Amino acid sequence: MLPGEQPPASGAGHPDHGSLDPADNRTRSSVITARAAHTFEPVGRSVAAARAFVRDTLQGWGFGDVVDDAVVLTSELVTNAVVHAGTAAEVVCLRSGDGVRIEVSDRYPEREIPLQSSGVAMGSPDREGGRGLQLCAALATRWGVEYSPAHKHVWFRLDLPERQVGTRTAGPSVSTELLPLADERVRVAVIQIDSEGAVSAWNDDAQELFGYPAKQIIGKPLTDYAAWPHTPGTSTGIAEALRLSRWEGSYGIRAADGRVVPVYASHLRVRDPQGEPSTVCLLVRDDERAVLATPQRGAAPESAHRADGQSTDPFETFIGSPAPDDLDGLLQRTVERSRDMLDGDAAFLLLATDDETELEVRATTGLPSARQRFARVPVDTGSGRYGTARMPAVHEDLSAVPGAVPLLNGTGMRSVVTVPLKVEGRLTGSLGVAAEGAGRYSNEEALRLQFAADRIALAVESARLGELERLRRGSLSFLVEASDLLAGTLDRDQTLALMAQMTVPTLATWCAVYTIADTASEPYLSYVLHEDEERIDGLKALLGRIDPPEPVPTPGARIWPAPARAAHEAALEASVRSLDDEPHHLGSGIGSTLTTAASVGGETVVLPLVARNRVIGMLVLGKPSEDHFRQENLELAEDLSRRAALALDNSRLYSERMAISQSLQRSLLPPDMPEVPGVEVEVIYRAAGEGNEVGGDFYDLFTIPDGAYGFAIGDVCGTGPEAAAVTGLARHALRLLAREGYSGPAVLERLNNAILDEGERSRFLTLLYGELRPQEDGSALLKVVCAGHPLPLRLRQDGSVEAAAEPQPLLGVMDDLELYEQTVRLEPGDVLLCVTDGITERREGSRMLGDDGLAEVLKGCTGLTAGAVAARVMRAVERFAADSPSDDMAILTMRVPEPQRN
């Protein structure tokens, strides 16, 4: 209450809006026909929820003319209640035949209310609170306030604008030839979308327009079939549009034959008696948009004034309030308002690139948007005013100057007016409106459109810069992730797959990677990927029928028209073949061909893959029929192609070197080992290091004269290729010397000299060498020399384990070695275990397996075959530590089997 005032006995209202009934604050002539109510908690988000409640309610009642005012007033009153007063707010909507009444109640009745009759100023409209009643006074037909001990009710009434019964808007009578062109029968697809986004109703006209029977599409998301002109990471998609209370505009529906059918749609959000929301969609072919399009409004004056004489913002007058907060929404609203302002059939808005040399199509209405979106045209196409987008231009008849506006080629538009968008003298875009009739526009319309363009140019540029900043941040994150993924593999096939998966569907609908082995080789199609996996085979077949792109090293993306031409030709051939078939009974092959052609028929670009000053391949990116790339995506793809080219070349070099290394390593492995009569022999070998087949450890078993067999197991200092080189020297020298008839000590002494002769390349070597002779009594006689190597272990049948040799000096360290050999007899059932130090020196922290640990493992192998003994030892070694082995490991086991008993 104001100071010194007494509480009113009844409702206090605007004195100029009529008397009130004290009983219910409603006019006596109003008859309430519907009621909706909801209570909102005292939290900030309740304001938005209240706005949505009122908007949905009034839209459902068909009161679209007063929705905006009702939402503004409700927002202010609910804000006063839940934010400033801190109480719950109850909102009641009451419908009558001539208007709507909305009541907002809170539980804070002692708050003051300014009374106009008191002559007290209502305060600044810019202050944070207290504006609700001022807005009621400005916008409502009637309004008032009622107090009770526990509540305060603020209500307002909005009357519907008077109009003739059955007529909302009407156009003038026109001659028949000026009427919009339509098919013999206009088909209106009626589709209902449930709260989950799935199709719940599909009428016969929808089946005729798009080719899907109702049973095939009901229950599936509409988003699976909508070709929505949408930029990843920005704007509003079809899923968001379906949740709006009302939406109208153009997009495409993918038909059953793979074509995209451009449609004009009107969406209305409704709810059933149970409160479940759904969206009713009416769709017609885009060239029949006049059937559904909202009738054109009269031209907006250059300046608008409120009833109280205050001027409104020219930008809001043109765009509407609230303005869209994203770039695509703002651009789409701009072209729709521009078209309506000049009573045109189409409108378009293009944004300039940073260097002001090209314009990119960003929003259209009345045109096939899927075909035009992100298409690029030069800013200056000729000399003079009409050859540049920097000046306003009016074309009275495009048929007299074909190609003057490339964007409108083939659209049926004849007259067009275009104006530039400029910020601080710099060209930022171009706005145009077109009509199907000739001579529709003059300089007067150009001035009106330029006035609108000047009002929105700064807002558009600000939104564009914001979008670019978001895209650049997303691009940096994308490139960082791509670099990490590409750097994480040296496998060529995996690198190719990563290249394609990173571009589809983020940058393109489909992707192909061509590789070039060397300068004399032709490009080879190495990888193909499509966002729809069912299209990959058809796409691969289509690309296989055309010549690959030229391997031009020039950086940047270049247009490659061959796939689109091939797709068009394939579609024509399929159509010709189908002429003899019954309608709607095309073969699956023809249907697949048409679908593939539609998915490849858009813009295709080629980016060279250049690494180390050589073109090693091409990255091909494609869009579906009549679609274009946006410039930002091409720049991002160019950055990605440079990283991918280096990763692909690194994988090639790695693969080549690995192939050479593995070939050399395989040559160091012994050939197939001979079978020793009466003795089981098993070998297990593990080379340390990724990709190594042979390291510093080695083994061998070969025949020598007099029916004996030579065996060896050794360890060269270190791992890798350098150790493998000494491995090859030792293994081949052993075979040669042993087969010359030298004894074991003589063989090792000569090998020692050979290693020392290598000079700086020499490495010391531990080696266990022996000669094995099977005996007639079933035993085996061994002569062994252990030169610095882990001692061989002998497992007897009783489970005892003992060393089978004595240690002697290692090789490759000193001259004039004096070595000797020891004789070991293996009885039936005995096992001889020979290992390298990678086995005994296996570590887990400070623990080491050692000779004693190996002996304990061997004790548990009594009665096992040679293969089982080797496998058990290797399993125990691997389990001893969690880390991967850091040293080469080799196991050689020999066992004399026990005689079989009958």
Side-chain angles (χ1 to χ4, degrees):
M1 295 295 299
L2 294 174
E5 295 290 338
Q6 297 295 324
S10 61
H14 196 297
D16 298 330
H17 291 107
S19 61
L20 305 174
D21 185 343
D24 61 0
N25 284 342
R26 301 177 190 138
T27 57
R28 298 180 184 275
S29 60
S30 299
V31 177
I32 303 303
T33 59
R35 181 181 187 276
H38 198 284
T39 300
F40 299 93
E41 297 299 320
V43 291
R45 62 177 179 273
S46 293
V47 178
R51 288 197 297 265
F53 165 71
V54 171
R55 182 179 295 278
D56 291 344
T57 299
L58 299 192
Q59 290 283 13
W61 289 348
F63 286 2
D65 291 332
V66 297
V67 162
D68 291 340
D69 288 345
V71 168
V72 169
L73 295 177
T74 302
S75 178
E76 289 294 332
L77 296 178
V78 173
T79 299
N80 288 341
V82 302
V83 176
H84 301 301
T87 74
E90 181 182 10
V91 179
V92 180
C93 300
L94 302 173
R95 182 184 70 184
S96 62
D98 55 354
V100 63
R101 171 190 172 106
I102 296 178
E103 301 175 354
V104 179
S105 304
D106 65 39
R107 296 178 176 82
Y108 193 36
E110 64 270 20
R111 299 190 73 212
E112 67 177 36
I113 172 174
L115 301 176
Q116 288 186 327
S117 59
S118 67
V120 179
M122 300 182 74
S124 170
D126 296 326
R127 66 180 180 173
E128 182 179 1
R131 296 180 301 175
L133 299 180
Q134 297 183 52
L135 288 174
C136 287
L139 300 179
T141 306
R142 301 179 183 87
W143 66 277
V145 182
E146 176 187 358
Y147 279 90
S148 69
H151 296 81
K152 182 184 75 179
H153 303 276
V154 180
W155 62 270
F156 61 87
R157 176 179 174 82
L158 297 170
D159 290 343
L160 295 178
E162 294 186 5
R163 54 178 181 253
Q164 297 179 1
V165 176
T167 302
R168 180 169 182 175
T169 58
S173 299
V174 295
S175 59
T176 303
E177 59 272 12
L178 295 180
L179 294 175
L181 183 64
D183 287 347
E184 184 175 350
R185 177 190 171 190
V186 175
R187 298 188 180 275
V188 180
V190 181
I191 306 172
Q192 191 158 3
I193 311 299
D194 63 21
S195 59
E196 302 299 325
V199 178
S200 59
W202 183 267
N203 72 341
D204 293 341
D205 280 354
Q207 177 175 341
E208 185 66 27
L209 285 173
F210 309 122
Y212 301 106
K215 64 181 180 180
Q216 179 180 345
I217 201 168
I218 286 180
K220 297 182 179 179
L222 181 65
T223 54
D224 290 353
Y225 301 89
W228 187 263
H230 175 57
T231 303
T234 62
S235 186
T236 300
I238 179 67
E240 289 79 5
L242 291 172
R243 289 194 291 268
L244 299 176
S245 61
R246 182 178 292 276
W247 185 90
E248 186 175 316
S250 300
Y251 53 91
I253 297 292
R254 294 186 179 90
D257 60 3
R259 297 180 301 108
V260 175
V261 179
V263 297
Y264 191 86
S266 177
H267 298 174
L268 177 65
R269 187 83 161 160
V270 299
R271 57 177 175 168
D272 61 19
Q274 289 72 39
E276 186 69 18
S278 61
T279 303
V280 177
C281 306
L282 306 181
L283 295 85
V284 296
R285 292 188 177 92
D286 196 61
D287 53 8
E288 297 173 347
R289 61 186 298 276
V291 175
L292 296 181
T294 301
Q296 315 293 349
R297 298 184 179 182
E302 292 194 358
S303 61
H305 297 273
R306 285 173 24 186
D308 58 4
Q310 298 183 21
S311 298
T312 59
D313 184 355
F315 172 76
E316 291 189 358
T317 301
F318 180 73
I319 292 296
S321 180
D325 57 1
D326 65 293
L327 177 62
D328 285 350
L330 177 61
L331 299 184
Q332 193 62 36
R333 179 83 63 85
T334 298
V335 295
E336 290 171 357
R337 293 295 173 89
S338 300
R339 179 199 65 197
D340 295 347
M341 183 179 71
L342 297 187
D343 195 19
D345 297 309
F348 51 88
L349 195 151
L350 301 85
L351 295 183
T353 56
D354 290 340
D355 57 4
E356 298 184 34
T357 60
E358 287 187 314
L359 296 166
E360 188 176 65
V361 180
R362 291 300 302 270
T364 64
T365 183
L367 297 174
S369 57
R371 174 169 68 88
Q372 305 295 349
R373 189 169 173 81
F374 300 127
R376 290 172 297 280
V377 297
V379 170
D380 298 305
T381 57
S383 59
R385 170 180 174 180
Y386 297 105
T388 179
R390 303 178 190 277
M391 297 289 292
V394 178
H395 294 278
E396 296 182 351
D397 192 352
L398 290 177
S399 62
V401 282
V405 184
L407 186 64
L408 301 180
N409 290 346
T411 62
M413 302 296 164
R414 295 187 61 185
S415 55
V416 61
V417 53
T418 62
V419 297
L421 275 69
K422 292 185 177 182
V423 175
E424 297 180 353
R426 182 173 60 87
L427 180 69
T428 60
S430 177
L431 177 63
V433 178
E436 295 178 350
R440 290 279 298 277
Y441 302 119
S442 63
N443 288 338
E444 180 181 352
E445 284 78 16
L447 289 174
R448 292 173 59 196
L449 189 61
Q450 185 67 70
F451 177 84
D454 292 342
R455 296 303 182 274
I456 66 168
L458 185 59
V460 168
E461 181 65 4
S462 177
R464 186 185 75 89
L465 293 176
E467 181 197 61
L468 285 177
E469 180 62 25
R470 290 192 299 272
L471 287 175
R472 284 168 183 160
R473 286 199 300 266
S475 299
L476 288 175
S477 299
F478 174 80
L479 290 174
V480 168
E481 181 179 358
S483 299
D484 289 343
L485 289 173
L486 291 171
T489 180
L490 288 173
D491 181 82
R492 176 181 177 275
D493 293 337
Q494 190 174 2
T495 302
L496 290 172
L498 284 174
M499 291 170 57
Q501 292 166 7
M502 286 185 292
T503 57
V504 176
T506 304
L507 302 178
T509 304
W510 61 270
C511 167
V513 183
Y514 290 83
T515 57
I516 303 174
D518 52 57
T519 55
S521 301
E522 292 293 324
Y524 173 75
L525 182 61
S526 298
Y527 200 90
V528 175
L529 183 66
H530 194 284
E531 65 179 3
D532 184 351
E533 293 182 357
E534 296 180 357
R535 305 282 177 260
I536 294 178
D537 291 339
L539 175 59
K540 188 181 298 183
L542 180 67
L543 294 176
R545 292 197 296 268
I546 62 178
D547 294 333
E550 289 292 326
V552 178
T554 306
R558 71 180 192 276
I559 302 296
W560 186 32
R565 284 200 302 264
H568 181 67
E569 293 171 359
L572 288 178
E573 293 174 1
S575 301
V576 171
R577 289 197 302 270
S578 68
L579 291 178
D580 297 332
D581 295 339
E582 292 294 329
H584 309 296
H585 290 83
L586 298 178
S588 59
I590 295 176
S592 176
T593 300
L594 293 176
T595 304
T596 301
S599 65
V600 183
E603 188 174 62
T604 303
V605 298
V606 179
L607 297 107
L609 298 174
V610 180
R612 298 176 176 91
N613 298 321
R614 186 175 73 86
V615 179
I616 62 170
M618 286 86 70
L619 178 64
V620 179
L621 305 179
K623 286 283 191 178
S625 290
E626 301 180 338
D627 204 354
H628 295 266
F629 288 95
R630 62 180 305 170
Q631 188 62 33
E632 291 84 356
N633 285 352
L634 291 180
E635 293 172 357
L636 181 58
E638 185 177 357
D639 285 340
L640 176 64
S641 68
R642 287 194 292 267
R643 290 165 169 79
L646 188 58
L648 184 61
D649 199 45
N650 287 340
S651 67
R652 177 188 63 83
L653 294 174
Y654 178 78
S655 298
E656 291 177 355
R657 292 178 182 178
M658 280 298 300
I660 295 171
S661 175
Q662 290 174 358
S663 177
L664 292 174
Q665 289 182 41
R666 282 192 295 270
S667 69
L668 301 178
L669 293 173
D672 294 338
M673 294 188 299
E675 293 187 4
V676 180
V679 179
E680 298 173 358
V681 180
E682 183 66 27
V683 174
I684 295 180
Y685 183 83
R686 298 283 191 274
E690 182 180 356
N692 289 336
E693 294 186 15
V694 175
D697 290 7
F698 68 96
Y699 65 91
D700 204 356
L701 178 66
F702 51 91
T703 60
I704 58 177
D706 301 330
Y709 297 85
F711 67 90
I713 182 169
D715 182 4
V716 178
C717 173
T719 60
E722 294 83 0
V726 179
T727 296
L729 171 64
R731 194 178 66 78
H732 289 94
L734 282 174
R735 286 196 170 213
L736 179 62
L737 294 170
R739 286 172 176 171
E740 289 294 325
Y742 290 102
S743 65
V747 169
L748 269 59
E749 289 168 2
R750 285 164 173 75
L751 176 58
N752 180 62
N753 294 332
I755 294 174
L756 293 174
D757 288 343
E758 291 292 310
E760 293 182 355
R761 294 182 299 174
S762 67
R763 290 170 175 257
F764 62 80
L765 165 68
T766 68
L767 179 64
L768 172 65
Y769 173 75
E771 296 178 0
L772 170 64
R773 285 183 170 80
Q775 303 297 306
E776 293 181 358
D777 61 358
S779 64
L781 187 65
L782 290 80
K783 293 182 178 180
V784 181
V785 181
C786 186
H789 199 76
L791 299 180
L793 299 179
R794 177 181 181 179
L795 172 65
R796 295 184 182 273
Q797 280 186 302
D798 59 4
S800 62
V801 175
E802 62 183 7
E806 296 176 353
Q808 299 183 59
L810 76 166
L811 308 181
V813 177
M814 64 184 72
D815 296 326
D816 301 329
L817 286 180
E818 294 183 3
L819 304 174
Y820 59 92
E821 63 185 5
Q822 296 172 272
T823 301
V824 180
R825 182 179 291 272
L826 295 181
E827 300 295 341
D830 289 354
V831 175
L832 185 70
L833 174 64
C834 309
V835 300
T836 58
D837 62 4
I839 299 292
T840 57
E841 294 179 1
R842 178 74 161 143
R843 292 181 179 274
E844 174 68 20
S846 60
R847 295 186 309 121
M848 186 172 71
L849 180 63
D851 296 334
D852 294 338
L854 180 62
E856 287 297 323
V857 174
L858 186 59
K859 285 180 181 179
C861 299
T862 305
L864 299 181
T865 64
V869 171
R872 178 170 292 187
V873 171
M874 179 58 74
R875 187 162 56 251
V877 171
E878 290 175 341
R879 291 178 177 177
F880 185 80
D883 296 337
S884 299
S886 59
D887 195 4
D888 305 327
M889 296 187 296
I891 299 174
L892 171 63
T893 59
M894 290 178 285
R895 177 177 180 271
V896 178
E898 299 176 86
Q900 295 183 353
R901 299 177 182 177
N902 294 329

